[in-house]
Amino acid sequence: MIETIQWTDDGVVMIDQTRLPNEEVYVTCRNYHEVADAIRDMIIRGAPAIGVAAAMGVAIGVAQASSENLDSQVEAISKELAGTRPTAVNLFWAIDRMNRVYGSVRHLPFDEIRTRLVDEAKLVRVEDIEINMSLGRHGAALVPDGKTVLTHCNAGALATAGYGTALGVIRAAIESGKKIDVFADETRPFLQGARLTVWELQHDGIETTLITDNMAGHFLRSGRIGCVVVGADRIAANGDVANKIGTYSVAVLAKENNVPFYVAAPISTLDLTLATGDLIPIEERAASEVTQVFGVQVAPKNTAVRNPAFDVTPNRYVTAIITERGVARGPYEESLRALAAQ
Ligand code: MRU
């Protein structure tokens, strides 16, 4: 099994996702500043994995705090972690969860507070794997047997504590006996598809074909693709889905070709405080990710660049949203609220 993130006596250990697939290197974050840097620098990425990292960041921050003015230290730790990346709501969900636990134990002896927060962060990790397995089981039934599944970015074990959301659905479909293979969009500019999805599916012996992003329409039209399954960074109350840039184009092309477009995400990715996807903050990343391909300049110097890391797919393109509590279909205002309330 791929170990994305772990709590150890030395610190928070993460597989360095900026170095994959060429090198399998593990980074140890020894304090909460290093955890925040790891999230910002994409050493760890993917909404649920960012959530686990943030929970462990709060835990290591409190474990190393002094016993005086603990409230203000927890606030400072939370603020620094919350400032790392704006789109994946799991980051804020995890920080809130840790703050709620802190609120319920802050009257206890300091050692006890530390233990409780470390235990909670470990629990967030373990629960994430269980959630993905159950989400996978719900989704497996939707995957057509004998066809190809198209996915975008990496919503796999590497984007979570393990097993994955979209790739969890694929894993569960294969475990249930279905004969499927995967087409992975390379996912410019950061190449999560080429570098991470292909690496982790090969690791599990799942037949995978890499395509560039602009080939998706061609293959969706060919009849070969049985369904699209992607993850999500934040899902608004109406079912609009923020996910890796390029997801929207794939969704439109899927609908045009009558191919089901599924989003696999845990309940912690729902943001029912936002009525529509237009309100989701979209991270803009460095221009160099577009002008360069891993350090090699591919555009003239001083080229004007836009680099939104995510886009929003309107709910009308989403065939269903697969969660650990079941599958939601439109109208999503009702179905998502019902699942969230369970
Ligand atoms: O910028 P990233 O690599 O953090 O973006 C990741 C994605 O967009 C994933 O599809 C999403 O977080 C779901 S991960 C299960």
Side-chain angles (χ1 to χ4, degrees):
M1 177 166 147
I2 297 161
E3 292 290 1
T4 309
I5 178 165
Q6 279 174 298
W7 181 272
T8 72
D9 291 342
D10 296 330
V12 182
V13 176
M14 306 169 185
I15 189 165
D16 185 344
Q17 301 196 27
T18 64
R19 312 265 292 265
L20 286 170
N22 297 326
E23 289 168 286
E24 195 174 325
V25 184
Y26 292 80
V27 168
T28 304
C29 300
R30 295 179 197 278
N31 54 55
Y32 78 89
H33 303 294
E34 290 184 4
V35 174
D37 289 344
I39 297 172
R40 201 179 292 107
D41 298 342
M42 313 273 281
I43 285 171
I44 190 155
R45 33 64 53 200
I50 290 171
V52 178
M56 291 189 176
V58 173
I60 199 169
V62 172
Q64 295 173 349
S66 60
S67 56
E68 294 100 55
N69 292 327
L70 194 53
D71 285 358
S72 55
Q73 292 178 80
V74 171
E75 206 182 311
I77 294 163
S78 303
K79 195 169 169 218
E80 181 166 332
L81 289 163
T84 51
R85 296 191 72 192
T87 305
V89 76
N90 306 63
L91 175 78
F92 309 101
W93 168 86
I95 295 170
D96 284 352
R97 175 168 164 168
M98 295 300 285
N99 273 266
R100 271 198 307 279
V101 173
Y102 172 68
S104 70
V105 299
R106 61 187 283 286
H107 61 283
L108 297 175
F110 187 39
D111 275 352
E112 182 66 20
I113 297 174
R114 295 203 277 217
T115 308
R116 296 285 276 273
L117 286 176
V118 171
D119 287 351
E120 188 70 15
K122 289 180 181 166
L123 187 63
V124 171
R125 175 183 168 278
V126 171
E127 280 181 5
D128 185 61
I129 300 171
E130 288 166 3
I131 284 168
N132 294 333
M133 295 186 108
S134 114
L135 182 159
R137 281 190 293 275
H138 287 297
L142 301 174
V143 176
D145 199 2
K147 295 279 234 178
T148 299
V149 178
L150 175 68
T151 191
H152 189 74
C153 192
N154 172 266
L158 289 166
T160 62
Y163 203 69
T165 55
L167 301 193
V169 169
I170 290 166
R171 287 190 165 98
I174 291 171
E175 283 160 23
S176 76
K178 289 187 173 170
K179 300 263 173 295
I180 54 170
D181 69 319
V182 177
F183 268 34
D185 284 346
E186 68 169 345
T187 319
R188 270 285 284 156
F190 211 69
L191 302 177
Q192 288 94 330
R195 297 187 304 105
L196 307 176
T197 294
V198 175
W199 181 81
E200 81 162 75
L201 291 178
Q202 281 181 353
H203 183 277
D204 279 14
I206 297 172
E207 194 186 327
T208 308
T209 303
L210 175 64
I211 60 171
T212 63
D213 300 328
N214 49 1
M215 296 172 188
H218 171 79
F219 287 108
L220 282 161
R221 193 163 171 266
S222 73
R224 171 176 185 151
I225 310 288
C227 69
V228 178
V229 189
V230 298
D233 288 85
R234 197 186 291 228
I235 301 174
N238 71 343
D240 290 351
V241 173
N243 191 49
K244 180 53 54 195
I245 193 75
T247 302
Y248 172 39
S249 322
V250 177
V252 174
L253 287 162
K255 190 170 176 109
E256 163 74 11
N257 291 285
N258 294 316
V259 175
F261 179 88
Y262 297 118
V263 174
I267 295 290
S268 55
T269 301
L270 301 182
D271 185 351
L272 302 183
T273 68
L274 301 183
T276 75
D278 294 341
L279 299 167
I280 297 174
I282 301 293
E283 177 182 11
E284 184 98 19
R285 293 190 64 86
S288 57
E289 287 181 0
V290 178
T291 56
Q292 300 176 1
V293 177
F294 282 81
V296 177
Q297 188 76 19
V298 292
K301 294 250 190 308
N302 304 321
T303 301
V305 169
R306 289 295 309 273
N307 186 16
F310 303 95
D311 59 25
V312 173
T313 299
N315 58 14
R316 64 181 176 279
Y317 295 106
V318 179
T319 311
I321 297 175
I322 304 158
T323 78
E324 71 274 28
R325 296 187 191 159
V327 176
R329 291 183 188 263
Y332 289 107
E333 276 90 354
E334 290 150 39
S335 57
L336 291 179
R337 259 183 220 286
L339 284 181
Q342 270 178 33

